[in-house]
Amino acid sequence: MEHHLQRAISAQQVYGEKRDNMVIPVPEAESNIAYYESIYPGEFKMPKQLIHIQPFSLDAEQPDYDLDSEDEAFVNKLKKKMDISPLQFEEMIDRLEKGSGQQPVSLQEAKLLLKEDDELIKEVYEYWIRKRKNCRGPSLIPTVKQEKRDGSSTNDPYVAFRRRTEKMQTRKNRKNDEASYEKMLKLRRDLSRAVTILEMIKRREKSKRELLHLTLEIMEKRYNLGDYNGEIMSEVMAQRQPMKPTYAIPIIPIGNSNQFKHQEAMDVKEFKVNKQEKADLIRPKRKYEKKPKVLASSAAAAPQQMSPAALPVFNAKDLNQYDFPSSDEDPLSQVLSGSSEAEEENDPDGPFAFRRKAGCQYYAPHLDQTGNWPWTSPKDGGLGDVRYRYCLTTLTIPQRCIGFARRRVGRGGRVLLDRTHSDYDSMFRQLDLEMLSSPQHSPINQFANTSETNTSDKSFSKDLSQILVNIKSCRWRHFRPRTPSLHDSDNDELSCRKLYRSINRTGTAQPGTQTCSTSTQSKSSSASAHFAFTAEQYQQHQQQLALMQKQQLAQIHQQQANSHSSTNTPQGFVSKTLDSVSAQFAASALVTSEQLMGFKMKDDVVLGIGMNGIFQASGVYKGLHLSSTTPTALVHTSPSSTAGSTLLQPSNITQTSSSHSALSHQVTAANSATTQVLIGNNIRLTVPSSVATVNSITTLNARHIPRTISAVPSSALKLSAAANCQVPKVPSSSSVDTVPRENHEAEKPALNNIADNTVAMEVT
Amino acid sequence: MAEVGEVIEGCRLPVLRRNQDNEDEWPLAEILSVKDISGRKLFYVHYIDFNKRLDEWVTHDRLDLKKIQFPKKEAKTPTKNGLPGSRPGSPEREVKRKVEVVSPATPVPSETAPASVFPQNGSARRALAAQPGRKRKSNCLGTDEDSQDSSDGIPSAPRMTGSLVSDRSHDDIVTRMKNIECIELGRHRLKPWYFSPYPQELTTLPVLYLCEFCLKYGKSLKCLQRHLTKCDLRHPPGNEIYRKGTISFFEIDGRKNKSYSQNLCLLAKCFLDHKTLYYDTDPFLFYVMTEYDCKGFHIVGYFSKEKESTEDYNVACILTLPPYQRRGYGKLLIEFSYELSKVEGKTGTPEKPLSDLGLLSYRSYWSQTILEILMGLKSESGERPQITINEISEITSIKKEDVISTLQYLNLINYYKGQYILTLSEDIVDGHERAMLKRLLRIDSKCLHFTPKDWSKRGKW
């Protein structure tokens, strides 16, 4: 231990006894610099407030170099020749020093560095170079040695204030540091993604502008050529076909291909627009070559993006304008808006029509994932839980029977009643609870068991009594909440199955009738309905359709249409007994659905094309063979529907106004996975528009094709019923809302399409 | 009797030295360096068992050549085996070090190892067990450095926290010797105590001229004069956070005000042996104490502080400039550092190792502060007053360990019948009262305008 410290410590330990000679000696310091007063500037008044220094106020632009005596002599000497002040000299030296690295700057460089006259620069430069050579330090401005890059200065004691290059170990707040580091990384990723997206948007907008310009150019050229009917255009298009692949919208090689999918859609649409502008028809075959490609690519590009609701529903408005999707809109949403717009115009749902909400993102239903709901039939991937079968349901308040319904638990534990349509609905309403409660066992099998038997003119009263009998004999299950008299004891498998089947039948009865009714309704509906067809058909049938528009709905036409459709092939238009016009139209209607199915077969999703209302011809043809089951299905099922139809027949004419929406529904249903499903969709879609029509048609069908009854494939029936069950899962599409309306209350607009499932409760 | 020419590095002989009482003494000294200036030989001598700060250049007439001991050829065992002491490298060891760098077994020159003295019990023994003269903080990387040193000969960079090195093994002949003869600062001339890495070309000057406000160094009075025409600072370039009477404290951010911080460090290094300037000043705050007169705010002393200390340090380096020493400023600086800790709501301790002077000052401060509290305790309802170590620590912001060591050092704490008893003897009380009478400079916490910053959320580098 050091001598002095030892002494001091021992002195200190005897507290308070520290003597002066026990202090540790230090080198002496003088404190009487005589010239201090003269060299330091004068008075400095203490500010009243605490001194607060402004950041960066310290960086006064003063030269770091300080003139020494030698310099002073030089400057004084130089002053005689030229104009120079000490400060100016210092500034010059400062610049020269700071401009130099290991090697001093050259005179040429010095001249660039300094703003003084060349003469002065030369003098000062030479002086500086000389002085620097003699200088022992690396610079005339003495500075603390810096570390060397190569790390060789680790040991040099004169190197100080090295940079802390390594990141200091984070200790106490290591967790925070890591978390914030992660956040920064994520932020960086996100920002770079944003940059990519903006880049893509830029390219897209550029392409759109280019497209617009090109279209404009084409129009101008055509105008100049006098190509008013599009002949030149179509020729050119035909010539261009082989080169099509080169005519590609720039594809950004990013996984997300939303942008060009709609570019392609636009491409098609534009084409359509061009045609639309022409007064005359374009020869359709030209287009056949082009379209498949578009369809294939766009359908493949974004399968999930497509929505059934957005299939080709077109109106003149869409066609007559350049309807580019806006930049900030997803192509899908554009599609959806287009379709709902079209519907609104025709107003099928009135105030309950589906409207897109601003700021909402709408996704297409995942059709490939349908099912696995307990109420979905096993065929559609559901569990087909018997608990969810439809059964006759009676509400306690108000006390009345609402027909067939099934219960399930919805969100938040709500009990939802999904109602389905049956032809007895009108009768069910008349069912009195008192009647039900009285135990009476007089089963009438013929009515309850088979729908075949009740195909035609059953009187209402008889039906009712039969139903009652069925219910009471527990052949039909009847659900009445908390009614003591309800007896479920003999709830055996058989009765369940019977009921199930009969419901299925009643359900499936509609597809056939529906298709037919659609076709008949279409005749009388406005032209907008036609846009659901392919352009080819549109052209093919334009004249016929024009005729049809004028027609009023007539029973005879329906008959003919139905009978024809049962034997239908698209080519087989030549009717045996039918009025050819209506027959053709019926055929075209079928073709439409077949087309859709054809699309279905090609790809699950057809939305992008559907938007433009242009279907590929190939799609049509493919659809034909695929849809071969459709007519038969229609025929088969139709007889099973039934009673009460006669009552309603008169109303079918008044229902036609909404028929086009039925058509559009049918179209939108094109995404369903199988033909059967399609039929099922048709059922529920069209029922709301006019049950009466359905029924009347059904009746007719039944009359015309009684022989096919035996051939009804039960699987098909079940499937179609299952298709009904799917409905609740497609909430955003316009077809959703139909289920609750599958009853005779169609005329009551109280059904809300949004709250489709809960409505059943409210309606009562 | 040897000739002057035979006196070489490593020789030991009595050297004339005048002590503080102006008495001539002939303490044994070791020749560390010899230089020849215009035919006159000068010898750099280190007085054995004296602090390095008293090393000096002497002329041959102060050497007692009759008693010279020449260095032995072979390496010998250290004279004071295992005991930390004032041991500048003797030539043999120097040679040895040059050859095989530093082997851990070789005791390393370390003239000050105050920390080993500091706790009287336990720690001192630990110091013996540890490397002599190399007491270091528990988490210091010194051992690693040593092993690296002996293996590849390239010393690794020191740790990046803190401002002091306890490991002097990197000392070489350059840093072991003062390199600046004299520093002129304001109206004072200071004799540096230790090496400081001022630009090498300035080390040969008889006087280094510093601007007393911005601390910029210049080689001549002329340069200083020129500089003063351009420098308009009249106070340290920071925010004044305390002022009472003529005493002010300025806070300077080592990152925002680099040139001042570096100049301050260079100056401070002249008086702090263990201070390291290896790394930049970014992670430190500098609290500069000034005394005002009509010329401006003159620096008296300062302490630096890590913006974020992981080891509860509330002071990194602390220094009262020599002209102001022994006047209570050091204690004022220490008191201020604890005031800051009080505002922060933390306890703190100075970074180790403390220098001899630092140790004395701190121990004195701790003693006075704790005794002040103990004597202020009022007995409740006739019973003896009670206080816990933690309470003392919380009131004073002195770290618990320092409270305990001070109580032990003052021999106040006794274990008696199952509990600890603090006994204040008459001597202690009298001594304390006398000391407090002399302690006129105090920090007034009402004059402190300080808001601690959360440096973990700022860029402290």
Side-chain angles (χ1 to χ4, degrees):
Chain A
M1 191 193 303
E2 287 169 24
H3 168 71
H4 295 108
L5 179 64
Q6 258 174 339
R7 284 206 309 178
I9 283 172
S10 49
Q12 199 186 37
Q13 205 161 14
V14 186
Y15 197 87
E17 300 237 335
K18 196 166 102 182
R19 292 190 309 263
D20 284 345
N21 63 348
M22 288 301 175
V23 296
I24 293 172
V26 297
E28 72 278 20
E30 286 177 63
S31 290
N32 43 5
I33 299 299
Y35 49 76
Y36 174 78
E37 293 291 331
S38 60
I39 63 166
Y40 278 86
E43 296 255 319
F44 179 74
K45 243 189 157 177
M46 183 190 266
K48 285 227 166 59
Q49 303 291 319
L50 292 182
I51 293 167
H52 205 84
I53 207 149
Q54 300 303 313
F56 309 116
S57 63
L58 307 165
D59 303 337
E61 283 301 311
Q62 295 282 13
D64 282 333
Y65 183 76
D66 295 323
L67 183 108
D68 62 16
S69 314
E70 189 191 0
D71 301 332
E72 196 179 29
F74 171 74
V75 169
N76 286 337
K77 211 175 85 193
L78 203 62
K79 244 181 197 168
K80 289 167 190 163
K81 290 193 281 180
M82 327 171 181
D83 190 27
I84 186 168
S85 71
L87 188 64
Q88 194 183 1
F89 175 80
E90 281 172 348
E91 264 169 14
M92 290 173 79
I93 299 292
D94 200 56
R95 279 166 182 268
L96 289 171
E97 281 297 338
K98 283 172 182 166
S100 306
Q102 297 286 71
Q103 295 300 311
V105 291
S106 69
L107 182 58
Q108 297 310 311
E109 291 166 323
K111 281 177 182 169
L112 293 172
L113 278 170
L114 304 172
K115 53 184 188 293
E116 281 79 8
D117 321 331
D118 277 8
E119 190 110 340
L120 180 58
I121 289 173
K122 201 173 166 241
E123 290 277 351
V124 172
Y125 180 82
E126 273 167 12
Y127 173 81
W128 171 70
I129 277 286
R130 216 180 322 122
K131 180 163 179 151
R132 202 170 200 272
K133 218 170 271 174
N134 297 330
C135 173
R136 302 200 300 142
S139 162
L140 288 184
I141 304 169
T143 45
V144 173
K145 236 187 203 173
Q146 304 269 306
E147 64 183 315
K148 286 184 193 129
R149 289 265 169 234
D150 56 9
S152 62
S153 54
T154 324
N155 245 348
D156 189 336
Y158 279 97
V159 175
F161 309 119
R162 294 167 176 85
R163 299 176 79 83
R164 294 169 203 251
T165 44
E166 299 155 63
K167 192 175 181 288
M168 193 191 175
Q169 258 194 341
T170 55
R171 281 168 298 198
K172 262 183 187 168
N173 46 350
R174 177 182 296 161
K175 217 171 189 179
N176 286 341
D177 283 4
E178 279 172 12
S180 49
Y181 178 67
E182 297 277 317
K183 276 180 195 158
M184 292 304 284
L185 282 183
K186 191 178 176 300
L187 183 64
R188 202 199 133 144
R189 261 201 315 272
D190 291 350
L191 286 175
S192 72
R193 259 183 226 161
V195 167
T196 314
I197 289 170
L198 287 172
E199 205 71 40
M200 284 158 64
I201 289 173
K202 196 175 138 195
R203 290 173 72 172
R204 184 191 68 188
E205 294 301 318
K206 266 188 182 169
S207 306
K208 276 160 70 176
R209 193 178 59 185
E210 200 182 342
L211 178 64
L212 193 65
H213 285 321
L214 287 173
T215 311
L216 204 68
E217 210 179 315
I218 289 171
M219 285 311 295
E220 275 171 9
K221 292 262 153 62
R222 284 180 55 200
Y223 179 77
N224 292 337
L225 285 168
D227 179 29
Y228 299 117
N229 55 7
E231 274 171 25
I232 297 173
M233 181 65 182
S234 35
E235 264 169 43
V236 169
M237 290 308 289
Q239 285 166 14
R240 274 183 76 257
Q241 285 317 306
M243 296 151 43
K244 168 65 178 152
T246 59
Y247 174 63
I249 278 110
I251 284 174
I252 303 145
I254 303 285
N256 179 2
S257 58
N258 279 353
Q259 262 71 17
F260 12 93
K261 187 197 63 197
H262 100 248
Q263 288 275 15
E264 276 167 331
M266 275 167 41
D267 185 23
V268 178
K269 187 195 274 183
E270 192 211 8
F271 195 77
K272 173 88 180 169
V273 163
N274 284 342
K275 279 188 295 177
Q276 189 65 19
E277 282 158 4
K278 303 162 206 162
D280 293 339
L281 293 171
I282 294 178
R283 278 160 294 179
K285 63 177 174 186
R286 292 270 153 79
K287 256 190 310 180
Y288 288 163
E289 294 156 333
K290 181 190 173 179
K291 278 183 176 175
K293 213 156 254 164
V294 176
L295 172 74
S297 59
S298 65
Q304 314 99 306
Q305 299 284 341
M306 316 280 185
S307 146
L311 272 178
V313 183
F314 254 77
N315 52 33
K317 201 177 115 205
D318 280 333
L319 294 168
N320 285 334
Q321 67 190 15
Y322 284 95
D323 186 24
F324 295 119
S326 70
S327 321
D328 53 354
E329 236 177 336
D330 194 59
L332 172 61
S333 59
Q334 176 68 17
V335 161
L336 281 169
S337 78
S339 69
S340 68
E341 208 179 313
E343 279 177 338
E344 264 166 55
E345 234 182 52
N346 305 315
D347 198 33
D349 300 326
F352 307 103
F354 170 73
R355 281 181 188 83
R356 290 180 72 243
K357 221 171 165 180
C360 268
Q361 219 180 338
Y362 294 90
Y363 294 102
H366 289 274
L367 295 163
D368 48 339
Q369 289 171 18
T370 56
N372 85 345
W373 305 97
W375 51 83
T376 311
S377 87
K379 265 287 175 87
D380 291 301
L383 302 173
D385 197 320
V386 77
R387 278 184 300 150
Y388 292 103
R389 66 186 179 269
Y390 285 93
C391 64
L392 202 56
T393 304
T394 304
L395 297 181
T396 322
I397 302 164
Q399 209 171 56
R400 68 181 187 77
C401 180
I402 56 164
F404 284 104
R406 64 175 181 195
R407 287 164 297 149
R408 58 191 174 85
V409 179
R411 247 188 326 206
R414 276 170 257 208
V415 175
L416 308 181
L417 287 180
D418 297 337
R419 298 176 66 177
T420 189
H421 168 260
S422 81
D423 298 309
Y424 309 115
D425 279 359
S426 57
M427 288 177 287
F428 290 150
R429 272 195 289 173
Q430 322 249 337
L431 276 175
D432 199 2
L433 286 169
E434 276 82 79
M435 289 198 284
L436 287 167
S437 51
S438 62
Q440 185 190 5
H441 291 276
S442 55
I444 303 171
N445 288 333
Q446 54 167 22
F447 179 79
N449 288 340
T450 60
S451 46
E452 292 102 290
T453 56
N454 49 30
T455 46
S456 55
D457 319 312
K458 294 251 189 322
S459 79
F460 168 68
S461 59
K462 193 188 175 194
D463 284 342
L464 189 57
S465 63
Q466 277 177 332
I467 289 167
L468 258 175
V469 165
N470 272 317
I471 291 169
K472 284 179 179 169
S473 63
C474 294
R475 210 171 291 125
W476 284 16
R477 299 210 54 206
H478 182 213
F479 172 69
R480 276 184 304 169
R482 306 215 178 274
T483 314
S485 59
L486 183 70
H487 45 279
D488 278 23
S489 55
D490 53 343
N491 159 20
D492 59 329
E493 273 268 279
L494 182 69
S495 66
C496 292
R497 226 182 290 129
K498 277 179 192 166
L499 180 64
Y500 196 46
R501 207 171 72 204
S502 64
I503 292 166
N504 278 345
R505 291 194 179 175
T506 51
T508 48
Q510 277 129 37
T513 62
Q514 199 42 61
T515 318
C516 298
S517 72
T518 329
S519 59
T520 46
Q521 286 155 10
S522 302
K523 285 185 256 175
S524 60
S525 65
S526 67
S528 61
H530 301 148
F531 291 115
F533 304 140
T534 64
E536 290 74 39
Q537 283 188 301
Y538 172 68
Q539 288 145 14
Q540 283 174 351
H541 298 294
Q542 200 173 35
Q543 276 186 305
Q544 300 160 351
L545 293 174
L547 280 170
M548 290 178 204
Q549 279 166 19
K550 292 171 198 157
Q551 288 180 335
Q552 291 296 315
L553 192 68
Q555 278 298 105
I556 184 82
H557 288 169
Q558 287 178 7
Q559 288 174 17
Q560 287 162 343
N562 285 327
S563 62
H564 180 69
S565 67
S566 63
T567 60
N568 177 297
T569 60
Q571 294 87 354
F573 276 172
V574 190
S575 164
K576 296 158 264 179
T577 59
L578 301 177
D579 161 338
S580 72
V581 170
S582 60
Q584 277 175 351
F585 184 81
S588 71
L590 270 177
V591 164
T592 310
S593 62
E594 286 157 8
Q595 273 179 322
L596 296 170
M597 286 184 283
F599 283 125
K600 185 70 228 107
M601 292 311 170
K602 283 193 73 169
D603 194 296
D604 271 355
V605 191
V606 208
L607 175 66
I609 308 98
M611 173 195 176
N612 292 311
I614 300 167
F615 294 105
Q616 291 173 280
S618 67
V620 176
Y621 296 133
K622 267 186 199 163
L624 287 177
H625 73 264
L626 287 167
S627 62
S628 58
T629 57
T630 318
T632 53
L634 298 175
V635 173
H636 293 330
T637 54
S638 52
S640 62
S641 79
T642 108
S645 58
T646 46
L647 286 176
L648 298 163
Q649 268 181 344
S651 66
N652 60 10
I653 291 166
T654 61
Q655 300 285 352
T656 52
S657 63
S658 56
S659 63
H660 63 271
S661 77
L663 187 57
S664 68
H665 281 308
Q666 187 183 24
V667 167
T668 56
N671 284 344
S672 48
T674 64
T675 53
Q676 286 93 338
V677 170
L678 174 68
I679 295 161
N681 283 340
N682 285 338
I683 296 168
R684 53 194 159 84
L685 292 168
T686 50
V687 164
S689 61
S690 81
V691 176
T693 318
V694 171
N695 287 333
S696 62
I697 295 162
T698 328
T699 323
L700 294 167
N701 282 342
R703 247 185 248 134
H704 280 273
I705 320 149
R707 62 186 182 281
T708 56
I709 289 166
S710 58
V712 173
S714 65
S715 67
L717 296 176
K718 275 183 181 162
L719 273 171
S720 57
N724 267 339
C725 302
Q726 283 181 339
V727 170
K729 286 190 299 179
V730 201
S732 67
S733 79
S734 57
S735 59
V736 168
D737 57 333
T738 55
V739 165
R741 285 185 282 164
E742 287 180 22
N743 53 47
H744 287 278
E745 293 167 2
E747 69 273 14
K748 287 191 186 176
L751 295 176
N752 188 326
N753 63 336
I754 296 166
D756 56 337
N757 289 324
T758 53
V759 163
M761 300 286 280
E762 294 163 6
V763 164
T764 61
Chain B
M1 183 75 192
E3 292 299 310
V4 172
E6 294 174 42
V7 178
I8 55 161
E9 292 170 7
C11 292
R12 290 182 173 213
L13 72 176
V15 176
L16 177 64
R17 185 180 179 277
R18 182 156 292 188
N19 68 13
Q20 60 267 38
D21 299 328
N22 258 328
E23 299 158 358
D24 286 350
E25 286 178 342
W26 289 87
L28 185 66
E30 183 170 318
I31 307 291
L32 293 186
S33 183
V34 182
K35 69 178 176 183
D36 208 322
I37 290 177
S38 55
R40 254 176 96 226
K41 271 204 164 171
L42 288 176
F43 305 92
Y44 193 82
V45 294
H46 167 73
Y47 301 100
I48 309 289
D49 289 338
F50 282 35
N51 189 283
K52 198 162 67 169
R53 68 172 75 90
L54 298 176
D55 294 359
E56 58 185 337
W57 290 101
V58 297
T59 51
H60 71 91
D61 50 334
R62 285 174 65 183
L63 306 177
D64 184 357
L65 295 171
K66 290 192 290 285
K67 295 180 180 171
I68 192 166
Q69 308 166 14
F70 285 100
K72 299 188 177 84
K73 284 298 169 212
E74 67 273 60
K76 5 166 221 202
T77 51
T79 38
K80 290 187 175 183
N81 202 358
L83 273 177
S86 158
R87 304 210 50 81
S90 70
E92 307 89 345
R93 272 178 280 140
E94 185 58 36
V95 168
K96 191 168 181 263
R97 193 182 301 130
K98 274 169 191 160
V99 173
E100 47 184 77
V101 197
V102 180
S103 89
T106 311
V108 188
S110 168
E111 60 283 78
T112 44
S116 66
V117 183
F118 154 47
Q120 290 294 72
N121 40 12
S123 292
R125 253 170 278 128
R126 259 194 291 123
L128 297 185
Q131 281 295 310
R134 282 204 217 170
K135 189 168 183 330
R136 58 181 74 95
K137 280 159 276 179
S138 54
N139 64 338
C140 181
L141 303 172
T143 349
D144 298 347
E145 287 170 15
D146 284 351
S147 55
Q148 279 188 6
D149 289 354
S150 46
S151 57
D152 55 17
I154 300 165
S156 60
R159 70 201 174 96
M160 279 195 265
T161 51
S163 60
L164 301 175
V165 283
S166 52
D167 179 10
R168 310 291 313 170
S169 63
H170 298 311
D171 271 7
D172 53 18
I173 191 65
V174 178
T175 51
R176 219 169 58 239
M177 287 161 54
K178 307 171 188 182
N179 57 343
I180 309 289
E181 204 168 319
C182 185
I183 286 176
E184 194 176 298
L185 177 75
R187 54 168 66 88
H188 310 291
R189 282 209 170 172
L190 317 173
K191 293 260 190 220
W193 299 358
Y194 307 106
F195 172 86
S196 180
Y198 276 109
Q200 212 162 352
E201 62 266 28
L202 303 180
T203 58
T204 52
L205 301 167
V207 178
L208 185 61
Y209 294 87
L210 261 59
C211 167
E212 88 164 313
F213 297 115
C214 76
L215 305 180
K216 192 193 170 186
Y217 38 83
K219 61 179 176 180
S220 67
L221 186 59
K222 181 73 210 167
C223 286
L224 178 62
Q225 282 176 315
R226 277 300 306 165
H227 168 76
L228 289 172
T229 64
K230 294 178 280 185
C231 176
D232 47 9
L233 273 182
R234 295 302 189 91
H235 55 81
N239 291 335
E240 195 181 7
I241 59 168
Y242 176 91
R243 185 194 291 172
K244 188 174 192 193
T246 56
I247 298 292
S248 292
F249 276 89
F250 289 81
E251 185 186 59
I252 288 120
D253 188 328
R255 191 167 74 94
K256 291 181 182 159
N257 217 320
K258 278 202 165 61
S259 75
Y260 183 83
S261 304
Q262 293 186 354
N263 290 340
L264 180 59
C265 283
L266 286 170
L267 175 63
K269 180 68 192 78
C270 292
F271 306 100
L272 297 173
D273 191 15
H274 290 259
K275 184 172 174 57
T276 174
L277 301 187
Y278 195 88
Y279 289 117
D280 59 32
T281 56
D282 288 20
F284 293 97
L285 292 170
F286 296 87
Y287 293 93
V288 179
M289 182 167 75
T290 61
E291 193 169 38
Y292 172 81
D293 74 5
C294 61
K295 291 278 185 185
F297 294 81
H298 308 281
I299 180 168
V300 170
Y302 90 104
F303 66 89
S304 57
K305 178 176 181 171
E306 279 182 285
K307 290 170 180 172
E308 230 186 348
S309 172
T310 53
E311 284 152 290
D312 291 342
Y313 294 144
N314 63 353
V315 163
C317 293
I318 185 163
L319 170 71
T320 309
L321 287 174
Y324 298 92
Q325 284 171 357
R326 293 181 201 161
R327 287 156 60 179
Y329 290 112
K331 221 163 271 170
L332 202 61
L333 281 167
I334 295 172
E335 193 177 357
F336 188 79
S337 73
Y338 281 108
E339 285 300 324
L340 294 185
S341 290
K342 285 178 196 171
V343 175
E344 288 169 351
K346 297 174 183 168
T347 61
T349 186
E351 188 178 330
K352 312 295 182 306
L354 289 168
S355 71
D356 50 352
L357 293 167
L359 177 72
L360 293 177
S361 296
Y362 263 100
R363 199 170 269 173
S364 171
Y365 173 81
W366 291 333
S367 301
Q368 292 182 2
T369 310
I370 291 167
L371 283 172
E372 223 174 5
I373 287 172
L374 294 181
M375 289 166 71
L377 286 175
K378 298 279 180 289
S379 63
E380 291 167 31
S381 63
E383 286 181 26
R384 291 179 192 280
Q386 293 195 339
I387 194 163
T388 65
I389 304 283
N390 266 335
E391 279 166 358
I392 296 174
S393 180
E394 276 165 28
I395 295 165
T396 60
S397 274
I398 298 170
K399 207 181 175 187
K400 215 164 47 184
E401 287 80 350
D402 295 335
V403 174
I404 293 167
S405 77
T406 305
L407 291 174
Q408 287 172 336
Y409 167 74
L410 291 175
N411 210 11
L412 295 182
I413 192 158
N414 295 294
Y415 191 71
Y416 180 72
K417 284 188 179 172
Q419 61 176 336
Y420 286 99
I421 294 176
L422 296 174
T423 322
L424 300 185
S425 68
E426 290 284 316
D427 287 351
I428 294 278
V429 174
D430 290 349
H432 173 69
E433 278 167 353
R434 257 182 286 135
M436 293 311 283
L437 283 177
K438 283 192 274 180
R439 192 173 161 193
L440 302 172
L441 284 173
R442 296 300 295 267
I443 292 293
D444 183 350
S445 55
K446 291 191 291 293
C447 300
L448 175 63
H449 301 271
F450 171 68
T451 348
K453 301 178 181 78
D454 186 359
W455 292 100
S456 62
K457 288 175 183 156
R458 292 160 178 259
K460 61 183 159 158
W461 299 98

